[in-house]
Amino acid sequence: MSQLSRRALLQAGAAVLPLSFAGRSFSQDKFPSKPVTLIVPQPAGGDADVVCRSIQNKMQEVLGQPLVIDNRAGAGGNIGTALGAKAAPDGYTVTFVNQGTMSLNPWLYPNTGYKVDSLAPVTWLTSIDLVIVANPSVPAKNLKEFLELAKKEPGKFTYGTAGNGSANHIAGEMLKSMAKADITHVPYKGGAPAIVALLGGEISTVVAFPLAALPHIKAGKLKALAVTGKNRSKALPDVPTVAESGVTGYEFASWMGLTVPKGTPDAVIQKIHAAASAALKEKDVAEKLSAGMTEPVGAAPKEFAELIQRENERWSKLIKQYGIKID
């Protein structure tokens, strides 16, 4: 090859490189150019679904593209989360995550189908206290009375949850362990089915995420026995905490967030975070969530990553301490 030909090839290559990088930057700047899918690893009607549908409209408006919610329930959230983790890292598949899928399941399941670090944090959406609710037929006005009944008749009473390994399952097992009460766990495929079962009298109680339970409490169809957080809820000011009910030291709060597959460009992550943050700041969204004992957070990717790390360190120890296992 002549020296002239070599020089021509080198010049052509030098011209192509900037164009390729410019093309990559251009594609990120234009994100999104098509609908974005939000995988929710829980069934429609539960708290996870309610939170995602609450922020859907504003996120679509900010992104300029439809946000399509895809409910993929099963295996304590593992099925949908694994699907999201394996998606292309281009921002067009966002996965809803929570305390269960990111900080509990890895210590409960021998194989979740995904690794926590295969998902890049986008935003910490909410912080939530749970509420322990009972069917009206249960002869107890509050949790203290219910625990006394459970101790007198071990195994008679039941509590439902969104499934094995879910945050409310862990909250229930913590309660049983700390209160030294024998209450039978009944797992369902999501929080909404558990509430339906409770309304029908199939089970005694549910350790519930509040958005699905509060309308039935206010309608008098269910009674609230206690809230799991450190303080009483503004939504249920007359309902004591678990700690106030005689289980000293008990405190449980959950959280929700959004992730994308690892390797998604930072610029794309920031755009999705900005859309979610804007949605959580909408007055009607914030008021609806707060009224449901669900506090909007909207923290940035770095803060969410730090939360996930702290929670993994905490729950890896507590799950072992309380001897919590999948039923």
Side-chain angles (χ1 to χ4, degrees):
M1 183 181 292
S2 69
Q3 188 173 352
L4 181 61
S5 298
R6 289 194 190 94
R7 185 180 298 118
L9 283 171
L10 288 170
Q11 288 174 343
V16 169
L17 279 172
L19 285 173
S20 67
F21 282 110
R24 191 179 306 166
S25 174
F26 177 78
S27 66
Q28 291 175 28
D29 290 343
K30 291 297 181 181
F31 173 86
S33 58
K34 61 182 181 179
V36 175
T37 297
L38 172 55
I39 295 176
V40 181
Q42 287 80 27
D47 280 61
D49 188 64
V50 170
V51 168
C52 290
R53 293 184 191 279
S54 296
I55 62 176
Q56 183 181 21
N57 287 341
K58 186 62 177 181
M59 284 191 70
Q60 291 179 146
E61 180 186 322
V62 174
L63 291 171
Q65 290 287 342
L67 182 68
V68 181
I69 293 177
D70 183 6
N71 295 92
R72 295 294 187 104
N78 289 343
I79 292 174
T81 307
L83 183 66
K86 294 169 185 172
D90 54 12
Y92 288 99
T93 302
V94 180
T95 304
F96 171 93
V97 296
N98 56 22
Q99 187 180 44
T101 55
M102 297 299 275
S103 299
L104 302 178
N105 290 5
W107 308 106
L108 292 168
Y109 289 84
N111 181 18
T112 59
Y114 62 92
K115 293 183 178 179
V116 170
D117 61 8
S118 65
L119 291 158
V122 173
T123 188
W124 172 5
L125 287 173
T126 63
S127 180
I128 314 157
D129 291 342
L130 278 56
V131 58
I132 301 170
V133 289
N135 183 280
S137 64
V138 174
K141 300 186 188 70
N142 51 49
L143 183 63
K144 185 175 181 180
E145 291 182 5
F146 176 71
L147 290 174
E148 289 172 355
L149 290 173
K151 289 175 183 178
K152 288 178 182 177
E153 299 183 81
K156 176 183 177 180
F157 296 98
T158 54
Y159 81 95
T161 70
N164 282 317
S166 61
N168 37 9
H169 178 204
I170 303 303
E173 291 302 299
M174 275 183 64
L175 175 62
K176 285 170 56 178
S177 177
M178 294 177 71
K180 294 180 174 57
D182 182 4
I183 309 166
T184 303
H185 175 226
V186 182
Y188 289 86
K189 293 182 179 180
I195 292 292
V196 170
L198 183 63
L199 289 166
E202 294 176 22
I203 49 179
S204 312
T205 64
V206 167
V207 181
F209 279 87
L211 285 172
L214 280 170
H216 302 295
I217 294 170
K218 296 186 182 299
K221 295 178 180 179
L222 297 175
K223 52 186 174 183
L225 301 181
V227 293
T228 66
K230 183 178 181 180
N231 301 306
R232 292 194 182 197
S233 168
K234 293 178 182 177
L236 297 169
D238 297 327
V239 178
T241 65
V242 173
E244 287 178 314
S245 304
V247 189
T248 305
Y250 185 99
E251 181 184 339
F252 188 96
S254 190
W255 46 266
M256 300 176 176
L258 299 179
T259 63
V260 289
K262 184 179 180 180
T264 301
D266 287 343
V268 171
I269 289 175
Q270 292 300 329
K271 285 188 177 182
I272 300 170
H273 167 251
S277 181
L280 290 170
K281 289 175 183 175
E282 287 280 286
K283 185 179 178 182
D284 59 337
V285 172
E287 288 179 350
K288 177 182 178 180
L289 294 178
S290 294
M293 295 169 58
T294 304
E295 293 305 316
V297 179
K302 183 175 182 294
E303 293 172 85
F304 189 29
E306 291 169 351
L307 171 72
I308 293 169
Q309 183 177 353
R310 287 197 307 271
E311 285 282 275
N312 268 277
E313 291 172 356
R314 179 189 182 207
W315 286 107
S316 64
K317 297 172 183 175
L318 287 178
I319 287 171
K320 184 177 180 180
Q321 176 183 334
Y322 291 115
I324 298 169
K325 297 178 181 179
I326 297 295
D327 292 346

